[in-house]
């Protein structure tokens, strides 16, 4: 497994990051795998050279952090791992148990560290923008978390480029820690971050990590439990042009004697602006297939033919202020509207 420099920071990460949203409690999402199923998958990640893992408190309302931290830290020393976790979304019905306030961020980082079983995370991220909290309050709190040694770097996800830039400006004006990482959605069916976010990050030396390289399964060409039950599967993707792009991906895969998933991930890997795609898997076969995309070299003509098919689309920026909550089997779940 190759490593990549994390923007202009000195941090090095594995070329692929493993996303852990799919590990936790099925009461939270029906496509999630449990602790027993996750252990061999995480072991295989390490065997393949993946040392970068993306977590969040919101995934299975903390259960994902507990499972992943327990498994990984039983397998390798902490210093061998690069761990990210996030805070923003509601963890209970308590109005202070959500958002980017000083109160919530201080509680969130301590709770995440306790669940993971470590005294620091490498990257602490805001999961989405919070319009109800002043940027100064958020950035000051994040800086104190870094100064306390609870996080090495800061990152962000799910916001407009102007919001991200302004939060960084606030940090720099006050001598606080700025963001070193932007985690955004990016794939063959969704490339809106190429407009402003990615150019800004390149200019500022900020590492760009990207999630959903398979467009929630559309670019894999397969149906599974997630595609059948994920609310976002048909909400954000699947129009006529998306399906034509999928057909082109399938044709290229057939030419290479490989899978659509490998082609889709290889396309993301071909973009020099992207530090590290975040992939996930529910089975060892899926994981091996995703990692093997590192060995697939698309031709310039294939990349150009895929690039040319895209058209501008609505920006997916789906943070909400008040998160309606429902309990499923005792596990708190967020229902987006």
């Amino acid at each position: 497994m190759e490593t990549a420099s994390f923007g202009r920071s000195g941090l090095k990460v594995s070329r692929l990051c493993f996303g852990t949203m799919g590990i936790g409690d099925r009461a939270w999402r029906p496509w999630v795998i449990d602790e027993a199923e996750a252990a061999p998958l995480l072991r295989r990640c390490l065997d393949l050279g993946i040392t970068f893992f993306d977590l969040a408190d919101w995934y299975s309302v903390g259960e994902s952090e507990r499972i992943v931290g327990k498994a990984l830290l039983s397998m390798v020393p902490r210093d061998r791992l690069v761990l990210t976790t996030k805070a923003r979304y509601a963890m209970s019905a308590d109005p202070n148990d959500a958002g980017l306030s000083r109160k919530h961020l201080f509680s969130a980082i301590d709770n995440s560290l306790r669940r993971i079983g470590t005294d620091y995370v490498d990257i602490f991220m805001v999961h989405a923008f919070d319009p109800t909290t002043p940027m100064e309050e958020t950035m000051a709190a994040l800086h104190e978390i870094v100064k306390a040694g609870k996080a090495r770097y800061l990152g962000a996800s799910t916001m407009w480029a102007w919001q991200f830039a302004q939060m960084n400006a606030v940090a720099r004006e006050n001598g606080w820690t700025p963001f070193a990482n932007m985690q955004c959605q990016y794939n063959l069916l969704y490339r809106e971050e190429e407009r402003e976010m990615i150019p800004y990050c390149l200019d500022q030396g900020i590492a760009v990590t990207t999630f959903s390289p398979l467009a929630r399964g559309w670019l894999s060409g397969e149906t599974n439990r997630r595609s059948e039950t994920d609310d976002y599967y048909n909400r954000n993707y699947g129009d006529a042009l998306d399906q034509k792009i999928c057909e082109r991906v399938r044709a290229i895969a057939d030419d290479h004697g490989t899978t659509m998933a490998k082609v889709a991930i290889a396309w993301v890997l071909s973009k020099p602006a992207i530090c590290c795609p975040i992939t996930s898997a529910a089975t060892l076969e899926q994981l091996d297939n995703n990692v093997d995309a590192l060995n697939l070299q698309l031709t310039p003509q294939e990349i150009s033919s895929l690039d040319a098919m895209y058209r501008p689309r609505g920006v997916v920026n789906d943070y909400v202020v008040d998160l309606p909550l429902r309990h499923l089997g005792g596990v708190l779940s967020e229902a987006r509207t």
Side-chain angles (χ1 to χ4, degrees), residues 30-31 216 225-235:
W31 41 267
R216 295 186 179 267
R225 188 163 181 79
R226 180 167 186 178
S227 65
E228 293 169 350
T229 59
D230 188 340
D231 293 339
Y232 285 90
Y233 183 74
N234 290 311
R235 186 186 305 180

Side-chain angles (χ1 to χ4, degrees), residues 5-12 153 180 205-207:
S5 294
F6 206 63
R8 281 204 288 259
S9 77
L11 181 65
K12 302 294 188 294
Y153 301 89
I206 295 168

Side-chain angles (χ1 to χ4, degrees), residues 13-300:
V13 297
S14 55
R15 191 69 173 90
L16 290 178
C17 175
F18 187 79
T20 63
M21 186 178 180
I23 295 173
D25 190 319
R26 285 195 180 89
W28 185 72
R29 296 289 189 273
W31 41 267
V32 166
I33 64 174
D34 62 21
E35 186 168 2
E37 296 169 297
L41 200 62
L42 295 170
R43 165 55 71 186
R44 183 64 176 154
C45 283
L46 296 172
D47 291 342
L48 292 168
I50 296 175
T51 55
F52 187 14
F53 295 86
D54 180 68
L55 301 88
D57 60 0
W58 180 64
Y59 300 162
S60 290
V61 199
E63 182 67 359
S64 179
E65 288 179 315
R66 185 194 68 79
I67 291 172
V68 174
K70 177 183 175 183
L72 290 176
L73 294 173
S74 72
M75 297 173 184
V76 293
R78 172 65 183 89
D79 287 347
R80 291 268 307 278
L81 301 168
V82 176
L83 301 179
T84 293
T85 198
K86 316 180 197 72
R88 160 63 173 92
Y89 294 130
M91 295 295 286
S92 74
D94 182 342
N96 283 314
D97 203 12
L100 300 181
S101 69
R102 180 184 184 88
K103 178 177 177 62
H104 180 60
L105 288 173
F106 281 8
S107 296
I109 187 63
D110 286 345
N111 289 333
S112 286
L113 295 179
R114 173 181 50 80
R115 285 188 294 261
I116 297 169
T118 183
D119 57 3
Y120 73 97
V121 289
D122 297 279
I123 307 155
F124 186 48
M125 305 190 71
V126 298
H127 211 155
F129 186 72
D130 177 5
T132 70
T133 302
M135 292 181 184
E136 291 80 3
E137 178 177 344
T138 296
M139 298 312 295
L142 291 172
H143 176 65
E144 290 187 39
I145 288 169
V146 172
K147 296 298 287 183
K150 297 177 181 180
R152 302 295 192 248
Y153 301 89
L154 298 176
S157 183
T158 315
M159 60 182 64
W160 300 102
W162 72 264
Q163 293 168 331
F164 187 53
Q166 190 168 347
M167 293 178 83
N168 262 337
V170 165
R172 293 192 174 103
E173 287 170 2
N174 289 279
W176 298 332
T177 308
F179 292 120
N181 178 210
M182 164 49 62
Q183 184 183 119
C184 54
Q185 182 172 199
Y186 186 70
N187 55 60
L188 274 162
L189 306 186
Y190 184 82
R191 293 166 48 192
E192 294 308 302
E193 303 292 1
E194 291 178 351
R195 294 172 175 271
E196 295 185 3
M197 184 65 81
I198 292 176
Y200 167 75
C201 290
L202 284 173
D203 178 71
Q204 297 295 306
I206 295 168
V208 178
T209 55
T210 58
F211 63 89
S212 200
L214 301 183
R216 295 186 179 267
W218 277 97
L219 290 165
S220 72
E222 302 175 357
T223 58
N224 52 41
R225 188 163 181 79
R226 180 167 186 178
S227 65
E228 293 169 350
T229 59
D230 188 340
D231 293 339
Y232 285 90
Y233 183 74
N234 290 311
R235 186 186 305 180
N236 294 333
Y237 301 109
D239 64 16
L241 183 53
D242 284 351
Q243 295 186 41
K244 287 183 179 179
I245 294 173
C246 288
E247 290 172 5
R248 178 61 184 147
V249 171
R250 185 182 297 280
I252 292 174
D254 289 344
D255 288 343
H256 284 270
T258 189
T259 65
M260 290 178 63
K262 287 184 191 177
V263 172
I265 295 171
W267 177 85
V268 177
L269 287 164
S270 75
K271 302 301 178 180
I274 307 305
C275 166
C276 182
I278 300 170
T279 64
S280 190
T283 67
L284 295 175
E285 181 181 5
Q286 289 176 350
L287 176 60
D288 289 347
N289 187 65
N290 291 346
V291 173
D292 196 43
L294 290 164
N295 299 316
L296 176 60
Q297 291 292 322
L298 301 178
T299 68

